[in-house]
Amino acid sequence: GMPVEQNPPALSLYEGADSGLRCNFSTTMKSVQWFQQNHRGRLITLFYLAQGTKENGRLKSTFNSKERYSTLHIKDAQLEDSGTYFCAAEAGGGSGNKLIFGTGTLLSVKP
Amino acid sequence: EAAVTQSPRSKVAVTGGKVTLSCHQTNNHDYMYWYRQDTGHGLRLIHYSYVADSTEKGDIPDGYKASRPSQENFSLILELASLSQTAVYFCASSAGLGGQNTLYFGAGTRLSVL
């Protein structure tokens, strides 16, 4: 299978709702990053995690290397949260520390 | 002010023609990258560079060349453009290689090969 599987592929939320996105890895990854791509196509780095949990405002991300997954939790969704969210994992070792991207989750936040 | 600038923002090319995509960064970063984005594939790494006058192959380098004439500039060259190279291309820079180094992306170049 794909080294980085992201789900769901698409998600629709109403303003104020909470939800989570998930990435599963086929092998042990060294770290994970989460990106948001907005409606103009701009990619913005949200989080880098080598382990544990980080929070930034209404966003929280967790990375569990041993269990091979990472999550991005969005609290109190706002219209501006709409976009595509990508996780990217760093395999380390012989991969040369390059990032492997998931296929993204398209998030639509509705009023 | 954008620190990673790509040009052109969009381009239509003919099959078999030569295409050059340019990227300029003012982050003073050593590492620069070219990715392509296709629907259903996320981003895939084409070439990257960690020093001027040197480039490295990424995961999908076939059909592409790269050039890093200076720390600030990194170009992606399609010598013979093909239909399959229609995609959105992103340039990025980072201070180092490895996930702890934040990637800063350009706005993307939408390439259509006809």
Side-chain angles (χ1 to χ4, degrees):
Chain A
M2 298 286 285
V4 179
E5 288 193 355
Q6 206 170 332
N7 55 72
L11 181 62
S12 184
L13 299 174
Y14 285 105
E15 274 187 300
D18 301 345
S19 191
L21 316 177
R22 185 178 176 104
C23 280
N24 293 314
F25 311 121
S26 61
T27 185
T28 301
M29 298 296 183
K30 188 177 174 181
S31 68
V32 68
Q33 295 189 44
W34 284 89
F35 301 87
Q36 181 200 27
Q37 187 170 34
N38 65 20
H39 68 282
R40 295 187 177 184
R42 269 285 186 184
L43 282 155
I44 302 166
T45 302
L46 299 175
F47 291 105
Y48 160 77
L49 297 100
Q51 62 179 8
T53 299
K54 286 187 178 179
E55 287 191 62
N56 185 3
R58 295 180 293 102
L59 302 179
K60 182 169 75 173
S61 183
T62 296
F63 174 49
N64 188 321
S65 177
K66 184 177 179 182
E67 300 296 323
R68 300 181 182 178
Y69 75 88
S70 178
T71 61
L72 177 68
H73 191 260
I74 301 172
K75 184 178 177 181
D76 184 25
Q78 302 296 305
L79 295 176
E80 61 264 28
D81 294 333
S82 294
T84 303
Y85 290 79
F86 293 96
C87 68
E90 179 187 3
S95 76
N97 300 95
K98 297 191 294 289
L99 293 176
I100 306 168
F101 280 76
T103 53
T105 293
L106 177 61
L107 174 65
S108 298
V109 180
K110 300 178 179 178
Chain B
E1 191 169 333
V4 180
T5 306
Q6 292 182 232
S7 62
R9 290 297 314 277
S10 67
K11 182 167 181 68
V12 177
V14 295
T15 303
K18 182 176 180 178
V19 177
T20 300
L21 307 183
S22 300
C23 181
H24 178 81
Q25 56 108 351
T26 58
N27 294 321
N28 198 32
H29 285 164
D30 286 330
Y31 283 80
M32 295 187 75
Y33 312 80
W34 277 106
Y35 289 91
R36 68 176 278 174
Q37 183 177 27
D38 301 274
T39 303
H41 281 89
L43 274 71
R44 292 182 289 174
L45 182 64
I46 306 170
H47 285 288
Y48 68 101
S49 167
Y50 56 85
V51 68
D53 296 322
S54 178
T55 64
E56 305 292 330
K57 293 181 180 180
D59 298 319
I60 53 164
D62 293 346
Y64 302 94
K65 290 171 59 177
S67 173
R68 182 91 182 270
S70 64
Q71 187 196 39
E72 298 81 15
N73 296 293
F74 191 37
S75 297
L76 185 68
I77 303 148
L78 290 66
E79 294 278 4
L80 295 169
S82 67
L83 294 172
S84 64
Q85 292 176 312
T86 292
V88 179
Y89 292 84
F90 287 95
C91 175
S93 74
S94 68
L97 187 65
Q100 75 274 22
N101 295 286
T102 301
L103 281 171
Y104 294 87
F105 287 92
T109 296
R110 185 173 295 276
L111 175 65
S112 297
V113 182
L114 306 177

